[in-house]
């Protein structure tokens, strides 16, 4: 009787403890569709993760320069773990973990399962193109399969996996009756659109390996072109993540997994008057020297003594471009920030109040606002990134028809079996690039006209004839301005456009220098924590690089140094 009583008491005790330790407000399982939503939105919606893009990647590509973050980290070639590890930490902890779990729990939803696997490929490509060898096939399997120390796959292994997985997913799409739920992209849960998207990603990845393994690249590219379901061929088929027109999420939103707005635009806008984003001299010169109609759509001049804490506003971001540009033409003053310089480096003097009527009027109307104090009037003559690109509802690019046209143009130049003419694809890529801006970024009054587009396209024929690879990839670099990871990956793969040689610029006393090699790094270092928590596999990856976590070591597919002037 005593034994029975003890057993009964123990059973009741266990049941009681389980009951009081269960949070009834939390779900015991998550719908795979909800996990797909989270993973898609995090791609550009994680404000904390965007620090790595702002501090390093947009500076390495020389799209942006002049802000404190990009000058202190990319500009000074300063390696800082807290800034470099964010993409790794955030994607593995949230998206990869959710996707792997959802894949394991969606066997009865073949279309949703395929979409999850496709986005896993996309995110893994982002990670490997930033860091190199890393956990891929074993990643996120701690709970699902008990793999707590995942091995580091080589990049070659990962790219082979990407091709196999994308082909398998494309074949799987349409075999089930489920709609792809939780899809917050332009693909809208449509099975045919996801199949087309998977095939199109194969084109990108095939071109990525075209120097290191041209035979495999040609085979995969040509196979993707003729695959069932087709590939993206016009703007109506573009693949991008849709974000809402909402308030800033900032770092608290990142911690709360609030990814509903485009956080890349948020962080480039800056949250105080001293931290906006400026255009790098390399980017400015390429646009300016080619009479590119995108120049003053992208590069604007602002008086901004205040910053909205909710979203970019035009009231306190006073646009004075139409007055500053004529002023600069008369003074012959060069104002774009060179790599490594801050906006206050290489000082330029402010214009007089009479030179900029809007400035004079604002000073007279709001003397307490400080429009001509604290060097705001001098800073306004530096070219800023237009806030049209920083709004919360701007798309998160996955891959679009403009990129496809540039890929086709280059593939044709390699004598791959590609339909059409290389120059025609190049021209179509430029047109699609400008229409992409018209559709997704520019206000109605600022849209690029057909005449402007056609005039510019005609002007690029000579550059294409002289060096097709340079012409194609320079235009791809302009297109990828708001897709920093692809901009940096394609730059390292193609070695174009020709960038400024970072080593020729001086050491700036304002910033941190801890690398004797001031050449632009070719990868980011692994998080320091990897050596603590996954030391054996981490060390194997380090050994493959020659024994040190060298951020000047080129990736597997990166065969040559970038071109510099």
């Amino acid at each position: 009787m005593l034994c029975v009583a003890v057993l009964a008491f123990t059973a009741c005790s266990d049941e009681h403890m389980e009951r009081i330790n269960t949070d009834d407000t939390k779900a015991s399982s998550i719908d795979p569709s909800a996990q797909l939503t989270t993973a898609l939105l995090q791609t550009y919606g994680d404000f904390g993760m965007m620090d790595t893009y702002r501090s390093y990647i947009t500076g390495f590509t020389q799209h942006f320069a002049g802000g404190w973050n990009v000058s202190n980290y990319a500009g000074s070639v300063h390696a800082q773990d807290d800034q470099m590890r964010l993409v790794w930490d955030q994607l593995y902890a949230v998206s990869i973990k959710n996707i792997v779990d959802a894949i394991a729990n969606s066997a009865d939803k073949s279309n949703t399962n395929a979409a999850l696997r496709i986005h896993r490929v996309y995110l893994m490509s982002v990670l490997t193109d930033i860091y190199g060898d890393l956990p891929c096939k074993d990643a996120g399997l701690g709970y699902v399969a008990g793999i707590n120390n995942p091995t580091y796959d080589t990049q070659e292994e990962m790219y082979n996996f990407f091709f196999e997985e994308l082909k398998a997913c494309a074949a799987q799409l349409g075999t089930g009756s489920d709609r792809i739920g939780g899809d917050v992209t332009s693909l809208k849960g449509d099975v045919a659109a996801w199949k087309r998207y998977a095939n199109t990603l194969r084109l990108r990845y095939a071109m990525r390996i075209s120097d290191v393994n041209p035979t495999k690249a040609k085979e995969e590219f040509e196979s993707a072109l003729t695959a069932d379901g087709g590939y993206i061929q016009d703007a109506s088929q573009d693949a991008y993540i849709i974000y809402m027109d909402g308030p800033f999420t900032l770092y608290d939103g990142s911690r709360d997994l609030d990814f509903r707005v485009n956080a890349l635009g948020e962080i480039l806008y800056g949250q105080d008057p001293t931290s906006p984003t400026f255009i790098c001299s390399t980017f400015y010169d390429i646009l300016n020297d080619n009479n590119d109609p995108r120049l003053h759509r992208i590069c604007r001049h602002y008086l901004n003594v205040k910053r909205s804490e909710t979203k970019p506003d035009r009231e306190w971001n006073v646009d004075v471009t139409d007055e500053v540009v004529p002023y600069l033409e008369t003074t012959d003053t060069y104002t774009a920030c060179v790599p490594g310089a801050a906006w206050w480096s290489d000082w330029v003097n402010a214009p007089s109040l009479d030179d900029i009527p809007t400035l004079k009027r604002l000073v007279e109307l709001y003397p307490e606002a400080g429009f001509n104090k604290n060097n705001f009037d001098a800073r306004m003559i530096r070219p800023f990134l237009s806030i049209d690109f920083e709004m919360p509802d701007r798309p998160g690019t996955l891959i679009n028809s403009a990129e496809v046209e540039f890929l086709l143009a280059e593939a044709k130049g390699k004598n791959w079996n590609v339909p059409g003419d290389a120059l025609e694809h190049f021209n179509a890529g430029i047109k699609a690039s400008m229409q992409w801006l018209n559709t997704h970024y520019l206000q109605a009054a600022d849209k690029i006209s057909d005449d402007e587009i056609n005039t510019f396209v005609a002007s690029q024929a000579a550059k294409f004839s002289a060096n097709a690879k340079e012409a194609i990839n320079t235009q791809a670099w302009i297109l990828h301005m708001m897709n920093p990871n692809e901009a940096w990956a394609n730059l390292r793969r193609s070695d174009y456009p020709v960038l400024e040689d970072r080593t020729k610029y001086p050491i700036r006393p304002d910033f941190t220098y801890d690398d004797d090699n001031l050449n632009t790094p070719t990868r980011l270092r692994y998080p320091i924590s990897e050596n603590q928590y996954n030391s054996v596999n981490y060390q194997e990856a380090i050994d493959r690089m020659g024994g040190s976590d060298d951020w000047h070591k080129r990736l597997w597919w990166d065969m040559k140094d970038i071109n510099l002037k």
Side-chain angles (χ1 to χ4, degrees):
M1 291 177 63
L2 179 62
C3 290
V4 171
V6 169
L7 289 171
F9 176 80
T10 303
C12 291
S13 176
D14 289 345
E15 182 180 345
H16 172 70
M17 292 302 294
E18 181 178 354
R19 185 168 61 253
I20 66 173
N21 283 292
T22 299
D23 186 348
D24 292 332
T25 68
K26 301 290 190 296
S28 59
S29 62
I30 305 174
D31 189 297
S33 297
Q35 292 172 292
L36 176 61
T37 300
T38 297
L40 287 168
L41 288 176
Q42 189 187 19
T43 310
Y44 288 90
D46 189 332
F47 189 89
M49 189 170 79
M50 292 300 115
D51 264 326
T52 299
Y53 287 108
R54 175 177 62 174
S55 295
Y56 287 112
I57 297 178
T58 64
F60 290 166
T61 62
Q62 295 186 16
H63 282 105
F64 307 135
W68 187 88
N69 295 74
V70 71
S71 299
N72 187 60
Y73 297 107
S76 300
V77 194
H78 166 41
Q80 218 278 349
D81 181 64
D82 283 344
Q83 293 290 307
M84 285 192 293
R85 64 181 172 81
L86 293 169
V87 177
W88 178 294
D89 284 358
Q90 301 291 94
L91 287 184
Y92 276 123
V94 181
S95 286
I96 300 303
K97 183 168 67 174
N98 271 280
I99 286 177
V100 170
D101 182 71
I103 289 170
N105 293 314
S106 58
D108 59 336
K109 300 178 180 179
S110 59
N111 296 327
T112 300
N113 177 272
L116 286 159
R117 289 160 57 197
I118 290 167
H119 197 55
R120 177 175 61 175
V121 167
Y122 181 92
L123 293 178
M124 281 298 177
S125 76
V126 169
L127 284 162
T128 187
D129 290 346
I130 293 175
Y131 299 100
D133 297 354
L134 44 74
C136 177
K137 284 177 278 189
D138 285 349
L141 290 173
Y143 179 77
V144 174
I147 300 175
N148 297 314
N149 298 106
T151 58
Y152 280 50
D153 297 297
T154 67
Q155 279 206 299
E156 183 173 13
E157 290 169 339
M158 277 185 274
Y159 269 82
N160 287 335
F161 171 71
F162 296 165
F163 293 125
E164 293 167 3
E165 187 75 341
L166 290 172
K167 283 184 277 190
C169 289
Q172 181 173 306
L173 285 163
T175 61
S177 59
D178 63 301
R179 181 170 179 80
I180 300 172
D183 183 5
V184 287
T185 74
S186 57
L187 307 178
K188 299 179 180 178
D190 181 67
V191 168
W194 274 89
K195 184 186 289 279
R196 185 167 54 234
Y197 169 52
N199 293 336
T200 308
L201 285 177
R202 287 173 60 194
L203 301 178
R204 173 189 283 174
Y205 302 144
M207 187 59 71
R208 189 87 86 239
I209 68 168
S210 60
D211 288 337
V212 68
N213 192 343
T215 301
K216 174 76 170 176
K218 179 177 184 290
E219 173 189 323
E220 292 291 344
F221 198 96
E222 293 178 352
S223 173
L225 284 180
T226 58
D228 178 54
Y231 59 92
I232 292 172
Q233 298 190 49
D234 61 61
S236 69
Q237 300 171 346
D238 289 346
Y240 55 89
I241 300 161
I242 299 170
Y243 290 97
M244 66 179 286
D245 184 11
F248 285 149
T249 55
L250 309 183
Y251 294 103
D252 285 342
S254 181
R255 285 187 284 268
D256 294 338
L257 308 187
D258 186 351
F259 306 142
R260 293 172 295 173
V261 301
N262 189 317
L264 176 62
E266 281 186 10
I267 208 162
L268 293 177
Y269 177 70
Q271 277 61 62
D272 66 75
T274 64
S275 63
T277 294
F278 298 89
I279 299 296
C280 180
S281 58
T282 307
F283 193 22
Y284 185 90
D285 288 346
I286 287 175
L287 296 175
N288 186 55
D289 293 348
N290 286 281
N291 295 314
D292 194 314
R294 289 168 287 195
L295 175 64
H296 293 306
R297 270 86 174 192
I298 295 173
C299 308
R300 305 297 293 179
H301 296 270
Y302 295 116
L303 274 166
N304 49 2
V305 300
K306 291 179 64 177
R307 270 331 214 194
S308 169
E309 295 181 359
T310 54
K311 72 178 196 177
D313 71 275
R314 301 178 193 278
E315 180 182 2
W316 287 102
N317 214 66
V318 182
D319 193 322
V320 288
T321 307
D322 292 344
E323 297 169 39
V324 171
V325 169
Y327 165 77
L328 293 175
E329 290 173 349
T330 63
T331 60
D332 194 29
T333 300
Y334 187 85
T335 64
C337 299
V338 299
W343 68 264
W344 60 86
S345 307
D346 310 320
W347 187 252
V348 291
N349 293 320
S352 70
L353 294 182
D354 290 333
D355 289 322
I356 310 295
T358 297
L359 172 62
K360 182 176 182 179
R361 177 173 56 83
L362 290 171
V363 169
E364 292 172 349
L365 288 173
Y366 310 105
E368 74 288 349
F371 282 102
N372 62 335
K373 298 175 183 178
N374 299 317
N375 298 314
F376 285 114
D377 51 350
R379 197 183 64 175
M380 74 177 176
I381 65 176
R382 301 286 193 196
F384 291 68
L385 174 64
S386 167
I387 63 171
D388 286 341
F389 293 86
E390 299 167 347
M391 293 296 175
D393 61 347
R394 296 315 187 233
T397 312
L398 296 171
I399 192 166
N400 58 30
S401 59
E403 180 182 346
V404 171
E405 292 291 354
F406 293 136
L407 292 171
L408 292 171
E410 189 168 356
K412 191 71 175 180
K414 294 177 180 293
N415 294 317
W416 294 357
N417 187 17
V418 173
D421 174 79
L423 179 58
E424 290 175 355
H425 286 303
F426 173 67
N427 292 342
I430 297 174
K431 291 179 180 179
S433 296
M434 295 191 181
Q435 291 298 347
W436 173 261
L437 297 192
N438 282 345
T439 301
H440 297 288
Y441 294 96
L442 302 180
Q443 299 181 90
D446 298 325
K447 293 187 186 297
I448 310 169
S449 70
D450 289 344
D451 286 344
E452 288 177 294
I453 294 173
N454 292 332
T455 298
F456 180 75
V457 167
S459 74
Q460 296 304 293
K463 290 186 177 295
F464 182 87
S465 178
N467 187 335
K469 186 177 182 181
E470 178 178 6
I472 292 165
N473 288 290
T474 297
Q475 291 302 315
W477 174 77
I478 297 170
L479 167 69
H480 294 317
M481 177 187 74
M482 295 302 291
N483 185 359
N485 187 68
E486 186 57 30
W488 191 31
N490 195 61
L491 167 65
R492 287 170 290 160
R493 190 276 307 173
S494 70
D495 306 313
Y496 287 110
V498 179
L499 298 186
E500 292 287 330
D501 182 354
R502 173 64 191 86
T503 65
K504 74 181 183 182
Y505 290 109
I507 300 284
R508 310 282 181 175
D510 312 75
F511 304 114
T512 306
Y513 291 83
D514 50 18
D515 194 331
D516 293 334
N517 182 356
L518 288 182
N519 285 295
T520 300
T522 51
R523 56 179 290 273
L524 293 185
R525 292 176 180 168
Y526 298 126
I528 292 173
S529 60
E530 278 295 289
N531 192 29
Q532 179 180 358
Y533 295 111
N534 194 11
S535 58
V536 173
N537 294 311
Y538 163 86
Q539 191 57 51
E540 288 181 357
I542 295 297
D543 291 342
R544 288 196 291 267
M545 282 195 290
S548 66
D549 192 358
D550 183 3
W551 68 338
H552 294 285
K553 179 77 171 180
R554 291 198 302 263
L555 299 183
W556 167 71
W557 46 255
D558 182 6
M559 300 299 290
K560 296 185 297 183
D561 292 334
I562 59 176
N563 290 293
L564 301 172
K565 59 181 177 181

